[in-house]
């Protein structure tokens, strides 16, 4: 059973370009979460999605950031017009439906560098 | 609102000596608490979790943590450090009805000297 898969693992973008980060949850998991880890900091919650629905996006920046989890295919975190401050590690996690009795599992992260 | 404070940003121990990583939490309701470990440029691995069952929780790799409601603490311990334990450790809190919305501490970097 493959774990949470994220790609690319490392991404370099110039200021103003777009970054797309992909996350495939563990098999059988229908809930996906995105977290961001800035240098020297802990992870901060960004968004929680189920298939075709955004459940909680309270941690998403108001502009340039969006996330989706389509019926088919991976979840995508999209950052438009990237700036240097977007440089961070972005982690995806997934869980089965009844999270309260289950652990959420993290992917290995995608490191975004904006130059 | 929930929050978590890791009292030490960096802890250094010698191999074979005990490890203590301190964590205090704040929560209006009964929280779920976790410890995760992150090796350099790697994802997070769950060490252990507390979800209102036994207050002494045993995890992987010889780690354990004790939930102390009176002290609002959830310190992580290990009797004997191994070189492979060197990593970043995160204390995490959430409420059962918050889905996967985890609140992370700032992290404690553990160094293990030979």
């Amino acid at each position: 059973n493959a774990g949470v898969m994220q790609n690319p693992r490392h991404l370099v973008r110039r200021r103003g370009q777009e970054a797309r980060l992909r996350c495939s949850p563990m098999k059988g998991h229908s809930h996906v979460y995105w977290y961001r880890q800035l240098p020297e900091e802990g992870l901060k919650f960004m968004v929680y999605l189920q298939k075709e629905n955004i459940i909680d996006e309270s941690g998403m920046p108001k502009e340039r950031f969006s996330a989706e989890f389509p019926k088919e295919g991976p979840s995508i975190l999209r950052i438009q017009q990237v700036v240097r401050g977007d440089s961070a590690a972005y982690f995806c996690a997934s869980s089965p439906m009844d999270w309260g009795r289950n652990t959420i599992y993290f992917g290995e992260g995608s490191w975004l560098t904006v130059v | 609102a929930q929050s978590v404070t890791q009292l030490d940003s960096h802890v250094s121990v010698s191999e074979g000596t005990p490890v203590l990583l301190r964590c205090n939490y704040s929560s209006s309701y009964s929280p779920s608490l976790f410890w995760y470990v992150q090796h350099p440029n790697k994802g997070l691995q769950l060490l252990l979790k507390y979800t209102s069952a036994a207050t002494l929780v045993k995890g992987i790799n010889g780690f354990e943590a004790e939930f102390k409601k009176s002290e609002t603490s959830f310190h992580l311990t290990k009797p004997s450090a191994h070189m492979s334990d060197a990593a970043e450790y995160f204390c995490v809190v959430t409420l059962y009805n918050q889905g996967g919305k985890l609140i992370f501490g700032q992290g404690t970097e553990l160094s293990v000297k030979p």
Side-chain angles (χ1 to χ4, degrees), chain B residues 85-113:
Chain B
D85 295 328
E88 188 88 16
Y89 291 79
F90 293 99
C91 183
V92 179
V93 66
T94 191
L95 292 182
Y96 74 96
N97 62 347
Q98 290 284 306
K101 191 173 180 179
L102 308 179
I103 309 297
F104 280 75
Q106 292 293 93
T108 298
E109 183 181 357
L110 176 64
S111 300
V112 181
K113 298 174 290 187

Side-chain angles (χ1 to χ4, degrees), chain A residues 78-108:
Chain A
R78 181 184 179 202
I79 312 171
Q80 295 177 289
Q81 299 176 313
V82 296
V83 300
R84 288 236 171 93
D86 297 332
S87 296
Y90 292 83
F91 288 92
C92 174
S94 73
S95 70
M97 280 185 63
D98 54 343
W99 173 84
R101 291 180 290 280
N102 287 278
T103 303
I104 74 167
Y105 294 87
F106 283 86
E108 294 209 328

